[in-house]
Short mmCIF file of all heavy atoms in Angstrom, two decimals:
data_model
loop_
_atom_site.label_atom_id
_atom_site.label_comp_id
_atom_site.label_asym_id
_atom_site.label_seq_id
_atom_site.Cartn_x
_atom_site.Cartn_y
_atom_site.Cartn_z
N CYS A 113 3.08 -12.13 -8.00
CA CYS A 113 1.71 -12.05 -8.56
C CYS A 113 1.73 -11.90 -10.08
O CYS A 113 0.83 -12.41 -10.74
CB CYS A 113 0.97 -10.84 -7.97
SG CYS A 113 0.67 -11.00 -6.21
N TYR A 114 2.70 -11.19 -10.60
CA TYR A 114 2.72 -10.92 -12.04
C TYR A 114 3.51 -11.97 -12.83
O TYR A 114 3.64 -11.86 -14.04
CB TYR A 114 3.26 -9.51 -12.31
CG TYR A 114 2.24 -8.42 -12.01
CD1 TYR A 114 2.07 -7.93 -10.72
CD2 TYR A 114 1.41 -7.92 -13.01
CE1 TYR A 114 1.11 -6.96 -10.43
CE2 TYR A 114 0.45 -6.95 -12.74
CZ TYR A 114 0.31 -6.47 -11.45
OH TYR A 114 -0.64 -5.51 -11.18
N SER A 115 4.06 -12.97 -12.12
CA SER A 115 4.85 -13.98 -12.82
C SER A 115 3.96 -15.02 -13.49
O SER A 115 2.98 -15.48 -12.90
CB SER A 115 5.80 -14.67 -11.83
OG SER A 115 6.35 -15.80 -12.44
N ALA A 116 4.36 -15.45 -14.70
CA ALA A 116 3.63 -16.52 -15.38
C ALA A 116 3.86 -17.84 -14.64
O ALA A 116 3.09 -18.78 -14.78
CB ALA A 116 4.10 -16.63 -16.82
N ASP A 117 4.93 -17.90 -13.84
CA ASP A 117 5.26 -19.11 -13.06
C ASP A 117 4.71 -19.05 -11.65
O ASP A 117 5.27 -19.67 -10.73
CB ASP A 117 6.79 -19.28 -12.97
CG ASP A 117 7.35 -19.86 -14.24
OD1 ASP A 117 6.59 -20.57 -14.94
OD2 ASP A 117 8.53 -19.60 -14.53
N PHE A 118 3.64 -18.30 -11.45
CA PHE A 118 3.10 -18.07 -10.11
C PHE A 118 2.99 -19.36 -9.28
O PHE A 118 3.49 -19.44 -8.16
CB PHE A 118 1.72 -17.39 -10.20
CG PHE A 118 1.00 -17.30 -8.90
CD1 PHE A 118 1.36 -16.33 -7.95
CD2 PHE A 118 -0.02 -18.20 -8.58
CE1 PHE A 118 0.69 -16.27 -6.73
CE2 PHE A 118 -0.68 -18.12 -7.36
CZ PHE A 118 -0.33 -17.16 -6.44
N GLU A 119 2.35 -20.39 -9.85
CA GLU A 119 2.11 -21.63 -9.06
C GLU A 119 3.42 -22.28 -8.65
O GLU A 119 3.54 -22.81 -7.55
CB GLU A 119 1.23 -22.61 -9.85
CG GLU A 119 -0.24 -22.20 -9.94
CD GLU A 119 -0.93 -21.98 -8.58
OE1 GLU A 119 -0.44 -22.52 -7.55
OE2 GLU A 119 -1.94 -21.25 -8.53
N LYS A 120 4.41 -22.24 -9.54
CA LYS A 120 5.71 -22.85 -9.26
C LYS A 120 6.45 -22.08 -8.17
O LYS A 120 7.09 -22.64 -7.28
CB LYS A 120 6.52 -22.87 -10.56
CG LYS A 120 7.59 -23.93 -10.61
CD LYS A 120 8.21 -24.01 -11.98
CE LYS A 120 9.72 -23.91 -11.81
NZ LYS A 120 10.37 -23.31 -12.96
N LEU A 121 6.35 -20.75 -8.23
CA LEU A 121 7.11 -19.90 -7.29
C LEU A 121 6.44 -19.74 -5.93
O LEU A 121 7.09 -19.41 -4.94
CB LEU A 121 7.31 -18.50 -7.90
CG LEU A 121 8.10 -18.44 -9.22
CD1 LEU A 121 8.09 -17.02 -9.78
CD2 LEU A 121 9.55 -18.90 -8.99
N ARG A 122 5.13 -19.99 -5.90
CA ARG A 122 4.34 -19.72 -4.68
C ARG A 122 4.90 -20.39 -3.41
O ARG A 122 5.10 -19.70 -2.41
CB ARG A 122 2.90 -20.15 -4.94
CG ARG A 122 1.91 -19.74 -3.87
CD ARG A 122 0.51 -20.23 -4.25
NE ARG A 122 -0.50 -19.67 -3.40
CZ ARG A 122 -0.78 -20.11 -2.19
NH1 ARG A 122 -0.11 -21.13 -1.68
NH2 ARG A 122 -1.71 -19.53 -1.47
N PRO A 123 5.18 -21.72 -3.43
CA PRO A 123 5.63 -22.36 -2.17
C PRO A 123 6.90 -21.73 -1.59
O PRO A 123 6.99 -21.47 -0.39
CB PRO A 123 5.89 -23.81 -2.59
CG PRO A 123 5.15 -24.01 -3.86
CD PRO A 123 5.09 -22.68 -4.53
N GLU A 124 7.86 -21.44 -2.44
CA GLU A 124 9.11 -20.84 -1.97
C GLU A 124 8.85 -19.41 -1.47
O GLU A 124 9.41 -18.97 -0.45
CB GLU A 124 10.13 -20.82 -3.14
CG GLU A 124 11.58 -20.62 -2.73
CD GLU A 124 12.08 -21.60 -1.69
OE1 GLU A 124 11.73 -22.79 -1.77
OE2 GLU A 124 12.82 -21.16 -0.78
#
Side-chain angles (χ1 to χ4, degrees):
C113 295
Y114 284 84
S115 168
D117 281 334
F118 171 78
E119 287 303 339
K120 204 172 127 209
L121 299 174
R122 189 180 190 280
E124 198 54 40

